[in-house]
Amino acid sequence: MQSAENLARIDLIGLSREELSQALSALDLPDFRAKQVWHWIYHRGAISFEEMTTLAKPLRRDLVERFSIGRAGIAQAQISDDGTRKWLLDFSDGKQAETVFIPERDRGALCISSQVGCTLSCSFCHTGTQRMVRNLTAGEIVGQMMTARDETGEWPAAQENRLLSNIVMMGMGEPLYNYDNVVKALRIITNEDGVGFSKRRITLSTAGVVPRIADVGRDLGVRLAISLHAVSDEIRDILVPLNKKYPIGELLDACRAYPGSRNSRRITFEYVMLKGINDSPADARQLVRLIKGIPAKVNLIPFNAWPGVEYECSTDETIAAFAEIINRAGYTSPVRQPRGRDIMAACGQLNSASEQTRKSRRIHQKE
Ligand code: SAH
């Protein structure tokens, strides 16, 4: 948590490598000092300057006076029966967002938020019911990864067999509507002198902000996931209202043009399975026709319910039949195992206002 004193100091988390050099040059420090500080912060996970024992003590004191190494406060930490962990983070202005860690046997994905709330209002997504509050800063985006590493004890960054092996920009918000901060954050995370995350282990998911897709290819080259969810504009307009602005045809053209979309860089199409809405064999066949020619895999997501929602999840048989049609057409179509449903951490369940909602409902029921 940041103290009032800290607020006056410059927070180093979220500064690009160049900006860090500039900030330290105010103290007449040469670039190799910036390199050391960067290493301490992003490789070792230092949370204070006192820990930076390769720097002389007087220098450490100078740094403490001028700079901070921010971490958001943890308002709530939850662990699901299946090991999924969710942190509700408190930012310095009191706004909150959620981060979810999904460990598997020998790897794990951290699901990072890009905004507090979301503007897209997808009709099946809980985050969409929350008012959009603001974009997260680059520091707040990077900070989610730092907190997860702190909490899982996975510093230093080069540790082998670490569980936090992948990052998915699939938390709250639309990353491509907070483009500059997301790019800056991911560049920090992929910087080889620090955290050193490989681009191949980062997936950015978008509901389809078409003009930004080429930019992602050019600026980041991370893996791309597209929240498709429907095969006709008529249905997609309802599920993902952004479709009215950027319809399916335009979206898929942008996917076809995504640089390096070879086998190694297949695009993931996410498809939420909603009973009676988008889950028929005809829908599956149309999906195959639509993505023809795009190196892709189709991730089928069983719908995760939330309080007050009217959609239902397709049956297991329907999902299996849907997957089979896509498989037979030559695309992998794994069914995403719902994780952390019991703590409202599964896809589409994130909503930092969820506590309030539940509380107010409880009060309502008592009346
Ligand atoms: N705005 C971006 C990032 C969010 S990613 C995007 O839309 O891609 C979150 C993923 O979970 C998206 O594919 C989203 O459509 C999906 N999702 C949302 N609500 C869901 C729900 N209730 N059940 C299953 N998946 C859901």
Side-chain angles (χ1 to χ4, degrees), residues 124-125 170-171 173-174 205-207 227 229 270 272 301 303-304 347-348:
F124 56 95
C125 178
M170 295 187 183
E174 169 51 50
S205 178
T206 177
S227 293
H229 303 322
E270 296 161 279
V272 64
I301 316 178
F303 170 65
N304 295 304
C347 298

Side-chain angles (χ1 to χ4, degrees), residues 27-316:
L27 288 177
D28 278 336
L29 291 178
D31 192 54
F32 82 91
R33 290 292 178 209
K35 190 170 179 169
Q36 284 177 315
V37 171
W38 183 272
H39 186 85
W40 274 107
I41 295 177
Y42 291 115
H43 181 79
R44 306 286 292 266
I47 53 169
S48 73
F49 295 104
E50 285 80 7
E51 292 170 55
M52 302 185 180
T53 47
T54 52
L55 309 178
K57 272 195 182 149
L59 173 55
R60 283 185 250 161
R61 271 199 300 274
D62 283 350
L63 290 171
V64 170
E65 268 167 33
R66 288 182 179 238
F67 303 109
S68 63
I69 307 171
R71 291 287 200 271
I74 299 177
Q76 191 183 30
Q78 288 174 279
I79 303 189
S80 156
D81 291 340
D82 68 19
T84 300
R85 301 177 67 168
K86 182 170 91 170
W87 297 283
L88 175 65
L89 300 179
D90 252 338
F91 299 114
S92 52
D93 63 350
K95 300 288 180 288
Q96 298 180 320
E98 292 176 317
T99 305
V100 176
F101 179 52
I102 308 134
E104 284 169 43
R105 197 184 298 265
D106 53 359
R107 62 199 176 109
L110 182 70
C111 181
I112 291 184
S113 293
S114 55
Q115 300 179 310
V116 178
C118 190
T119 53
L120 296 180
S121 305
C122 298
S123 53
F124 56 95
C125 178
H126 198 200
T127 309
T129 64
Q130 187 182 344
R131 204 164 52 90
M132 163 69 182
V133 184
R134 68 167 172 84
N135 282 333
L136 293 180
T137 64
E140 289 164 342
I141 295 168
V142 173
Q144 295 174 57
M145 187 271 310
M146 310 290 278
T147 295
R149 279 264 166 89
D150 294 346
E151 294 292 301
T152 54
E154 295 210 333
W155 297 108
Q159 211 178 71
E160 292 217 345
N161 307 325
R162 60 178 176 227
L163 279 185
L164 205 171
S165 59
N166 292 67
I167 286 178
V168 293
M169 294 299 301
M170 295 187 183
M172 305 169 72
E174 169 51 50
L176 299 190
Y177 275 159
N178 184 14
Y179 189 75
D180 292 344
N181 291 339
V182 166
V183 168
K184 193 173 179 195
L186 292 180
R187 284 192 176 145
I188 293 169
I189 290 173
T190 51
N191 182 297
E192 287 175 359
D193 294 327
V195 177
F197 239 93
S198 152
K199 289 175 181 181
R200 284 175 294 115
R201 291 176 176 272
I202 299 178
T203 302
L204 185 149
S205 178
T206 177
V209 184
V210 167
R212 281 297 190 191
I213 290 178
D215 296 344
V216 176
R218 186 194 60 226
D219 295 338
L220 287 170
V222 294
R223 287 179 183 259
L224 191 63
I226 303 285
S227 293
L228 190 62
H229 303 322
V231 293
S232 73
D233 284 322
E234 200 188 350
I235 302 291
R236 195 165 190 268
D237 280 352
I238 298 169
L239 299 181
V240 184
L242 181 67
N243 194 68
K244 293 180 202 150
K245 203 163 173 188
Y246 305 116
I248 293 175
E250 286 179 31
L251 177 56
L252 294 177
D253 284 346
C255 291
R256 284 199 174 81
Y258 191 70
S261 57
R262 288 167 247 107
N263 252 343
S264 60
R265 289 270 304 280
R266 278 182 307 178
I267 290 178
T268 300
F269 288 100
E270 296 161 279
Y271 197 95
V272 64
M273 297 302 294
L274 299 168
K275 190 184 219 166
I277 306 280
N278 64 356
D279 62 352
S280 72
D283 289 324
R285 288 191 292 270
Q286 177 62 7
L287 177 57
V288 168
R289 277 194 288 273
L290 282 176
I291 62 174
K292 194 164 193 285
I294 305 176
K297 84 173 182 192
V298 178
N299 215 327
L300 300 179
I301 316 178
F303 170 65
N304 295 304
W306 37 273
V309 72
E310 286 182 1
Y311 296 108
E312 283 176 70
C313 183
S314 312
T315 62
D316 290 350

Side-chain angles (χ1 to χ4, degrees), residues 17-29:
R17 177 66 183 77
E18 298 74 37
E19 286 168 344
L20 180 76
S21 281
Q22 277 166 19
L24 297 193
S25 67
L27 288 177
D28 278 336
L29 291 178

